[in-house]
Amino acid sequence: MGWLPEITTSKKDHHSRHRCSDDSKKKSQRLRILAFETAKTMSKLISLYKSLSDDEIFHLKTHIIKSKGVSYLTSMDKEFLLSLACAERIEDLDRAAAAISRLGKKCCDPWLNQFDLVYADLKLGVLDFGKLEYGSRYSEKRVHKMEKLVSATANLHEALARLSEMELMEKRMNLRKKKQTELGANVDLFNQKLENQRKEVRYLKEASLWRKSFDKCVAIMATVVIIVYIRICSVFKPYISILPAISLLNIACFQQQRDIYLIDQIKQQMVASPGHVSPELKPKQVRLYSRKSDLYFNEWYTFGTDEEKVVNKNRVFHAAGESTVGGSGLALHYANVIMLVEKYLDSAATVGRDERESLYQMLPENVKALVRTKLSKNMKCREDDAFLAEGWRAAMIEIMGWLAPMANDTLKWQIERNVDKMKFDSKPCVLLLQTLHFSDKEKTEAAIAEVLVALSCVYRFENRSVDNDNG
């Protein structure tokens, strides 16, 4: 059931042209205003593609999952962490495929028009992949083409914003002109700039996705979706045994799978032993692929309430148990606390009582109590014990060395997943496992309390605070 030849040769396929002749309007459709949403989808797809490069996978295996923060707060189990990475990448690919499917409904090519079914068949393993190899000249050429289109579309977005501002200014100037107000010689210069801006917009519309057809754009994205999916299977197969080998992508291999879900396994691990996953709870068998799988919610299926849809679209995110920071809904909050502590630590300026009180009030009651207990034990030193500041600072810097990067990645993950902003960034995104989301709540709170006590001691013994209270 090879469908790629239909896509890649659609321009030369006279049969396809004849098939679409009765619907010439549909055939000639261009993206126009949908160019920006398409560019966002393309940029996410490029980001996914780049995240699976040899260098990125090496960094994931040798640095990210072995980092001190992830090892201590989340898990030391390599297979578990890689299953998290795999699950999130597939979920990201599902979202991109869903967006492509919606665009595909406006395509002339029937394969593109029904890309939701094509993608489902892809995950069932019933399609002929041909020679779609990650990193090949064929795949790199298509990714490079998407990068050029995304860049031109991003420039068009900025140019249209500038043009809108200039046209608003033109209306104001015309209004002043009607009132016989002197405008000076700058009017001619402004009109020339306005005309140049309009020319730039016209040029960028031709060079960007604005004038491109639905068929052409969906075809290139659909091809990259398959390349990315094959790459995910290839990369994570050694660690997740249920992932099919590329040469065995057929229905038979899927018939051997049991109904054991990756996300459910992750939840069990989090509940049973947060921070350190026991060997018996490793996801030896996972099911990632089903036309209407309960694991990954395809956005083209619209059943359920709005709340259920939100939950189902973020299965990996909602896999964190109550014993984790993310499961308690505190990941972003604790990340802000940690980054504020880092700011105060690096600042040479004094931090007064109000700032410290504000930081203290950001803490939940249980963490406040923990901080008070630790402070009462460590603040019994004499006022002239200033030499202790060096020791406290060294201890604090050591903890913040692995805690701050996780807090920073937590904030970065939130920014990258902000769907309300028009972003065209195609760099590899931060993974949830790099953040505080799956971190053990008790360990994280203990670390935060420790750095807050250390910060108080540093400020007191270095005499940097405005007043030497015990806060």
Side-chain angles (χ1 to χ4, degrees):
M1 294 182 63
W3 63 283
L4 283 173
E6 289 284 336
I7 294 176
T8 55
T9 62
S10 60
K11 287 185 177 181
K12 300 178 182 179
D13 193 338
H14 297 288
H15 178 66
S16 294
R17 291 181 183 178
H18 177 72
R19 185 173 54 215
C20 296
S21 60
D22 295 334
D23 194 3
S24 58
K25 290 184 179 180
K26 184 175 181 180
K27 182 180 178 181
S28 63
Q29 274 190 317
R30 298 294 182 263
L31 288 173
R32 299 189 185 280
I33 194 63
L34 288 177
F36 305 118
E37 288 300 323
T38 304
K40 284 178 63 176
T41 301
M42 277 191 176
S43 63
K44 291 174 183 176
L45 201 51
I46 296 167
S47 172
L48 261 175
Y49 183 91
K50 290 181 177 180
S51 73
L52 297 168
S53 69
D54 290 339
D55 289 343
E56 288 293 329
I57 296 301
F58 178 81
H59 182 67
L60 171 65
K61 294 178 180 178
T62 59
H63 293 89
I64 294 176
I65 66 174
K66 292 183 179 180
S67 64
K68 190 169 183 178
V70 172
S71 298
Y72 178 66
L73 294 179
T74 303
S75 176
M76 297 177 66
D77 188 276
K78 182 178 181 180
E79 289 185 20
F80 167 68
L81 293 172
L82 288 175
S83 70
L84 273 179
C86 178
E88 188 172 4
R89 289 301 184 224
I90 289 183
E91 193 169 89
D92 288 342
L93 185 62
D94 284 348
R95 294 193 187 98
I100 294 168
S101 175
R102 289 193 295 270
L103 292 171
K105 297 303 180 184
K106 296 182 178 293
C107 290
C108 173
D109 192 305
W111 293 105
L112 301 177
N113 190 255
Q114 300 182 30
F115 182 70
D116 53 346
L117 300 180
V118 172
Y119 185 64
D121 286 341
L122 165 67
K123 299 180 82 174
L124 284 170
V126 300
L127 293 177
D128 178 12
F129 293 110
K131 297 181 179 180
L132 291 181
E133 183 181 356
Y134 180 92
S136 66
R137 184 178 178 182
Y138 177 89
S139 60
E140 291 292 329
K141 182 178 179 180
R142 274 142 188 80
V143 171
H144 180 65
K145 176 67 173 178
M146 288 199 303
E147 286 179 318
K148 289 179 64 177
L149 289 170
V150 169
S151 177
T153 306
N155 291 336
L156 174 62
H157 189 266
E158 294 178 2
L160 283 171
R162 289 195 298 269
L163 179 60
S164 179
E165 292 176 358
M166 294 179 73
E167 288 178 339
L168 182 61
M169 189 179 298
E170 181 188 33
K171 290 180 181 179
R172 292 173 180 171
M173 292 176 68
N174 289 336
L175 184 62
R176 291 173 60 189
K177 188 176 181 180
K178 288 181 179 179
K179 294 181 179 180
Q180 297 181 345
T181 304
E182 291 294 332
L183 296 177
N186 290 332
V187 176
D188 293 337
L189 179 61
F190 173 80
N191 288 335
Q192 183 61 46
K193 288 182 178 180
L194 179 58
E195 181 58 30
N196 290 339
Q197 188 64 26
R198 285 171 176 158
K199 288 181 180 179
E200 182 182 2
V201 167
R202 287 195 293 270
Y203 167 77
L204 288 172
K205 281 184 176 181
E206 293 295 333
S208 69
L209 289 165
W210 187 276
R211 301 288 190 201
K212 299 298 182 288
S213 68
F214 281 92
D215 281 72
K216 182 175 182 179
C217 297
V218 172
I220 190 172
M221 289 190 291
T223 304
V224 176
V225 164
I226 294 181
I227 294 170
V228 169
Y229 179 78
I230 295 174
R231 177 63 171 176
I232 290 174
C233 292
S234 175
V235 166
F236 293 101
K237 171 67 176 176
Y239 310 98
I240 304 175
S241 59
I242 201 64
L243 284 173
I246 299 305
S247 60
L248 299 176
L249 281 173
N250 51 52
I251 296 178
C253 73
F254 291 97
Q255 291 173 342
Q256 300 172 2
Q257 298 177 23
R258 297 186 178 95
D259 267 347
I260 301 176
Y261 299 98
L262 175 60
I263 299 300
D264 290 339
Q265 290 294 312
I266 292 172
K267 284 183 178 180
Q268 292 177 25
Q269 293 169 23
M270 289 296 178
V271 172
S273 182
H276 296 278
V277 182
S278 58
E280 62 269 22
L281 287 174
K282 295 178 184 179
K284 295 298 183 183
Q285 290 181 310
V286 294
R287 184 179 179 219
L288 298 178
Y289 320 94
S290 171
R291 185 179 290 268
K292 291 189 179 181
S293 171
D294 290 332
L295 175 56
Y296 289 106
F297 181 85
N298 293 322
E299 292 184 28
W300 47 80
Y301 298 122
T302 57
F303 51 83
T305 65
D306 290 340
E307 183 178 353
E308 288 172 343
K309 291 176 188 176
V310 172
V311 171
N312 286 331
K313 290 178 186 177
N314 297 277
R315 288 297 180 93
V316 179
F317 182 86
H318 291 282
E322 294 181 0
S323 61
T324 65
V325 175
S328 304
L330 292 168
L332 189 59
H333 186 73
Y334 281 168
N336 285 320
V337 170
I338 294 166
M339 298 313 294
L340 193 56
V341 170
E342 184 178 50
K343 175 185 175 182
Y344 289 162
L345 177 64
D346 295 338
S347 175
T350 60
V351 178
R353 182 182 180 86
D354 290 342
E355 287 84 356
R356 285 177 289 148
E357 180 64 21
S358 178
L359 176 59
Y360 180 74
Q361 292 302 326
M362 290 175 68
L363 306 175
E365 289 302 322
N366 64 312
V367 181
K368 288 180 182 178
L370 187 58
V371 170
R372 285 195 299 267
T373 301
K374 288 179 176 289
L375 278 173
S376 64
K377 293 179 180 179
N378 291 289
M379 285 301 187
K380 295 180 180 179
C381 306
R382 302 193 317 271
E383 290 293 330
D384 58 354
D385 282 337
F387 69 93
L388 292 175
E390 184 177 348
W392 281 110
R393 175 175 285 278
M396 186 178 181
I397 290 175
E398 181 181 356
I399 296 174
M400 290 297 289
W402 51 264
L403 187 61
M406 294 189 74
N408 184 63
D409 283 339
T410 302
L411 299 175
K412 190 175 180 181
W413 189 94
Q414 293 285 342
I415 294 172
E416 289 174 345
R417 298 312 194 279
N418 189 339
V419 297
D420 295 329
K421 292 185 178 179
M422 186 61 66
K423 301 187 297 294
F424 306 104
D425 189 5
S426 57
K427 295 184 294 185
C429 294
V430 170
L431 286 163
L432 262 180
L433 68 89
Q434 297 173 246
T435 72
L436 295 170
H437 189 73
F438 290 109
S439 297
D440 179 58
K441 182 171 177 284
E442 186 176 346
K443 290 181 180 179
T444 304
E445 290 177 343
I448 291 174
E450 197 68 29
V451 295
L452 287 172
V453 170
L455 183 66
S456 296
C457 293
V458 167
Y459 268 72
R460 175 172 180 171
F461 297 136
E462 287 185 352
N463 294 317
R464 289 169 59 188
S465 61
V466 176
D467 48 77
N468 289 329
D469 54 52
N470 288 340

